[in-house]
Amino acid sequence: MNVRIVEVGPRDGLQNEKRFLSTYAKKTLIQKLVASGLREIEATSFVHPKWIPQLADADELVAELPADSDVNYRVLVPNAKGLERVNHSILKEIAIFCSASETHNQKNVNRMREESLADFMKFVPVALEQGLRVRAYLSTVFGCPYEGEISLDQVHEMSERLFDFGVYEISLGDTTGVATPASVKRVLGSLLSQFPAEKLAVHFHDTKGMGVANAYKAFEMGIQTFDSSIGGLGGCPYAPGASGNLATEDLIYLLQGSGIDTGVDLDQLCRTSQWLEGQLGKKLPSKVLRAHLA
């Protein structure tokens, strides 16, 4: 089975950090990620700097991204104003985001789900007309910090509407890391009865140490696209208790141990994480990284 690793560290990872990395440091990080073999990288977000100050240099960073025909860079776009900033030829794709949970959507983007969908209806067709592919993130699929368990009917409805807009893939988010292999089996089993596996991705957080186990269950069920973050960076600013994403190192180790050639040099990736620890002034939680450094 072929797999795709979507590296979200430069965006989803750094957005929750207290220390602001310079544009040069972010560019260097992305260069190192590409050099390790990663080919799908979410570089930044065109959200207003007031909401995510760590990514205030998004335009400058995108203008300096290293050109590589084999690398697919994407940016997160929250609204039509964000789309207006996607004027760099290196970008072939954008990502949009909303939540399966009404409360989390309000906390995260300060609007009802219907308002988010109405916005998408305005600017997603424009993006598609411009030749951009559009990926969607659907948060709190496996549980919400405010509402608890989310009904599968809600998840199906939101997924269907997002696909109707023309997105090519939905990344299903375990926003606070509450999923277990059993809940992954339940949710994916239901969604796979309606949508093909190649149109679904998974985005696990490792809050309770279940990230790798959940990824393996999704892999067993035919999912081929996995989001992960260098060193295990990340966490949602608007989801209390959400710690880092599934670490890319841990995911690569899992897949390589399962006989999958990911095309990623794990040693080089760990060296990149070690460099990033120096930039951030903190230890990163990846278990494979910690073992590598030991």
Side-chain angles (χ1 to χ4, degrees):
M1 179 192 295
N2 293 323
V3 298
R4 291 169 56 228
I5 310 298
V6 178
E7 173 58 55
V8 299
R11 194 277 301 174
D12 194 21
L14 294 181
Q15 72 174 9
N16 209 40
E17 288 299 307
K18 293 180 180 179
R19 181 177 292 190
F20 180 86
L21 285 192
S22 69
T23 306
Y24 177 78
K26 290 171 184 169
K27 175 185 175 182
T28 302
L29 170 61
I30 291 171
Q31 287 175 322
K32 289 177 178 291
L33 293 171
V34 171
S36 74
L38 291 162
R39 290 295 177 266
E40 298 257 357
I41 297 177
E42 191 158 285
T44 188
S45 171
F46 284 161
V47 70
H48 195 286
K50 179 176 75 170
W51 302 115
I52 307 289
Q54 294 86 345
L55 304 180
D57 60 346
D59 293 286
E60 292 84 355
L61 176 63
V62 171
E64 295 187 16
L65 286 176
D68 191 319
S69 60
D70 291 335
V71 179
N72 178 33
Y73 298 109
R74 73 171 59 85
V75 296
L76 199 67
V77 171
N79 49 38
K81 286 186 177 180
L83 181 62
E84 291 173 4
R85 297 165 63 184
V86 185
N87 55 6
H88 305 275
S89 60
I90 200 168
L91 297 176
K92 303 294 189 298
E93 179 175 332
I94 65 169
I96 60 175
F97 59 97
C98 61
S99 180
S101 156
E102 189 72 84
T103 308
H104 182 263
N105 207 73
Q106 292 176 10
K107 298 281 187 180
N108 194 30
V109 296
N110 197 32
R111 63 189 63 190
M112 305 285 283
R113 287 180 303 166
E114 285 299 329
E115 292 178 285
S116 290
L117 292 169
D119 272 357
F120 298 156
M121 194 178 299
K122 294 176 184 176
F123 76 87
V124 168
V126 176
L128 295 172
E129 288 173 7
Q130 293 174 356
L132 294 166
R133 297 210 308 167
V134 181
R135 186 188 209 230
Y137 288 101
L138 185 60
S139 300
T140 66
V141 168
F142 300 91
C144 171
Y146 307 103
E147 298 182 10
E149 186 172 322
I150 300 298
S151 77
L152 285 172
D153 287 342
Q154 284 176 242
V155 177
H156 274 269
E157 178 191 1
M158 292 295 289
S159 299
E160 190 166 5
R161 294 180 72 178
L162 289 168
F163 280 128
D164 285 345
F165 289 138
V167 306
Y168 77 91
E169 177 178 84
I170 295 176
S171 178
L172 305 167
D174 179 24
T175 308
T176 54
V178 297
T180 65
S183 61
V184 170
K185 181 179 180 180
R186 178 179 65 87
V187 172
L188 286 182
S190 180
L191 289 171
L192 288 169
S193 70
Q194 182 177 0
F195 309 110
E198 59 267 23
K199 296 182 76 67
L200 300 175
V202 287
H203 184 114
F204 293 120
H205 284 227
D206 204 32
T207 312
K208 295 179 172 64
M210 291 287 102
V212 166
N214 292 334
Y216 189 68
K217 173 52 69 176
F219 173 74
E220 284 187 318
M221 297 183 72
I223 297 299
Q224 301 171 25
T225 303
F226 301 83
D227 296 356
S228 62
S229 178
I230 181 75
L233 273 176
C236 177
Y238 303 102
S243 60
N245 292 279
L246 170 62
T248 306
E249 298 91 328
D250 299 359
L251 176 63
I252 296 299
Y253 183 80
L254 167 71
L255 293 172
Q256 290 181 351
S258 303
I260 302 298
D261 181 8
T262 63
V264 176
D265 184 325
L266 186 55
D267 287 338
Q268 189 164 352
L269 190 63
C270 286
R271 289 195 295 273
T272 298
S273 290
Q274 185 176 13
W275 170 86
L276 186 57
E277 286 188 331
Q279 298 295 309
L280 295 172
K282 60 181 281 188
K283 289 184 176 180
L284 298 179
S286 164
K287 295 173 179 62
V288 169
L289 172 63
R290 300 265 58 90
H292 178 88
L293 295 179

